[in-house]
Amino acid sequence: MKNNILLIGFMGVGKSTIGRMLCKNNQDKFFLDTDDLIESFYGDTIANIFASHSEEYFRKLEYRVASWLSLNMNNSVIATGGGFYKSYNMKEIGKVIYLKSEFENIIKRLKYESDFTKEVDKRPLLKDLDNAKKLYNSRVLEYQEIADETIEVDNLSLEKITSKLR
Ligand code: S3P
C-alpha cells in the first residue's frame, strides 16, 4: 500500500491549504495538487481547459494524472480536485481522507475569507451556485463512502485539522 495521503472533498473546502500546511514543516512528505499537475502537464489553466475543450476532456486529464500518481508517487500529501475521486480507484494511490463541510459554510468561507470572484473564476463548476449545490448533494455520500476517514472541518481550526492528519 502506498503511503500517500489523498485529500478529497468539495471545491473550496480547503484541501490545498490543509495539505500545504501539513507538509510545511515535514521533511518526509511532499505536497501535490492534482489541478496544479494538470495545469503544468497540459500547459493551460483549468478554466481554459473547460472553456476550450470540455468537462469530459478535463476528466480524461484527471484520469491520466491519477494513473501517473499511482505509478510514480509515494510520501506525498495530494490535494485532489473536487471530482477527481471519480477518475480512478483512489485506494491505488493512497489513504483517502474526506474533508467534509456543509455547502453553505464553504460558500461563506470563500466569500468572507478570500476573493470570491477569483475563486469562482478558477472553478467553472462553481459559477452557478444552484448547480453547485446540486453537485454537492450528488457527491456528499460518495465522498464518504470511498474515504478511509472523514474529518468534519466546520468549526475546526487549521491547526486542529492538520493535527488530526499527523
Ligand atoms: C472540480 C473541482 C476543481 C477543479 C475543477 C473541477 C470539481 O478543484 O478540479 O474545476 O469537479 O469539483 P477544487 O476542488 O480544488 O476546486
Side-chain angles (χ1 to χ4, degrees), residues 139-153:
R139 286 180 178 170
V140 74
L141 282 179
E142 292 178 354
Y143 286 136
Q144 214 148 315
E145 268 166 25
I146 69 149
D148 295 303
E149 214 178 292
T150 295
I151 299 181
E152 308 237 3
V153 301

Side-chain angles (χ1 to χ4, degrees), residues 11 15 35 46 50 58-59 81-83 123-125 139:
M11 293 177 269
K15 292 160 291 188
D35 283 343
I46 303 298
F50 267 76
F58 172 74
R59 300 299 173 200
R123 299 180 174 94
L125 299 180
R139 286 180 178 170

Side-chain angles (χ1 to χ4, degrees), residues 16 20 31-53 57-66 68-69 79-81 84 118-124:
S16 303
R20 229 176 250 125
F31 172 72
L32 293 169
D33 178 302
T34 62
D35 283 343
D36 289 348
L37 288 173
I38 289 173
E39 292 191 343
S40 48
F41 284 180
Y42 299 98
D44 209 346
T45 63
I46 303 298
N48 280 344
I49 293 170
F50 267 76
S52 54
H53 295 274
Y57 179 76
F58 172 74
R59 300 299 173 200
K60 286 192 182 136
L61 303 186
E62 286 194 310
Y63 173 83
R64 287 198 219 146
V65 165
W68 182 85
L69 289 169
T80 65
F84 188 80
K118 221 165 120 191
E119 297 296 333
V120 171
D121 282 348
K122 284 197 295 199
R123 299 180 174 94

Side-chain angles (χ1 to χ4, degrees), residues 60-79:
K60 286 192 182 136
L61 303 186
E62 286 194 310
Y63 173 83
R64 287 198 219 146
V65 165
S67 94
W68 182 85
L69 289 169
S70 81
L71 290 173
N72 297 296
M73 284 321 291
N74 234 330
N75 295 325
S76 299
V77 175
I78 305 164

Side-chain angles (χ1 to χ4, degrees), residues 2-137:
K2 290 181 158 285
N3 65 356
N4 297 309
I5 293 176
L6 279 167
L7 302 177
I8 67 164
F10 202 66
M11 293 177 269
V13 73
K15 292 160 291 188
S16 303
T17 309
I18 290 161
R20 229 176 250 125
M21 190 159 171
L22 195 60
C23 294
K24 202 170 170 191
N25 296 314
N26 184 344
Q27 306 273 317
D28 304 330
K29 292 255 185 244
F30 296 100
F31 172 72
L32 293 169
D33 178 302
T34 62
D35 283 343
D36 289 348
L37 288 173
I38 289 173
E39 292 191 343
S40 48
F41 284 180
Y42 299 98
D44 209 346
T45 63
I46 303 298
N48 280 344
I49 293 170
F50 267 76
S52 54
H53 295 274
S54 60
E55 179 174 348
E56 199 189 339
Y57 179 76
F58 172 74
R59 300 299 173 200
K60 286 192 182 136
L61 303 186
E62 286 194 310
Y63 173 83
R64 287 198 219 146
V65 165
S67 94
W68 182 85
L69 289 169
S70 81
L71 290 173
N72 297 296
M73 284 321 291
N74 234 330
N75 295 325
S76 299
V77 175
I78 305 164
T80 65
F84 188 80
Y85 73 102
K86 287 177 185 282
S87 69
Y88 206 80
N89 180 0
M90 295 292 104
K91 304 262 176 4
E92 285 181 28
I93 307 176
K95 183 176 175 187
V96 184
I97 311 284
Y98 170 33
L99 301 177
K100 184 177 184 187
S101 173
E102 294 301 322
F103 180 77
E104 286 69 21
N105 291 335
I106 292 176
I107 301 304
K108 237 188 261 165
R109 271 197 305 272
L110 288 177
K111 279 194 172 152
Y112 300 113
E113 291 170 22
S114 54
D115 180 341
F116 191 61
T117 314
K118 221 165 120 191
E119 297 296 333
V120 171
D121 282 348
K122 284 197 295 199
R123 299 180 174 94
L125 299 180
L126 206 55
K127 282 208 164 66
D128 177 329
L129 285 184
D130 288 337
N131 283 341
K133 169 91 202 210
K134 282 184 200 137
L135 189 62
Y136 175 94
N137 287 337

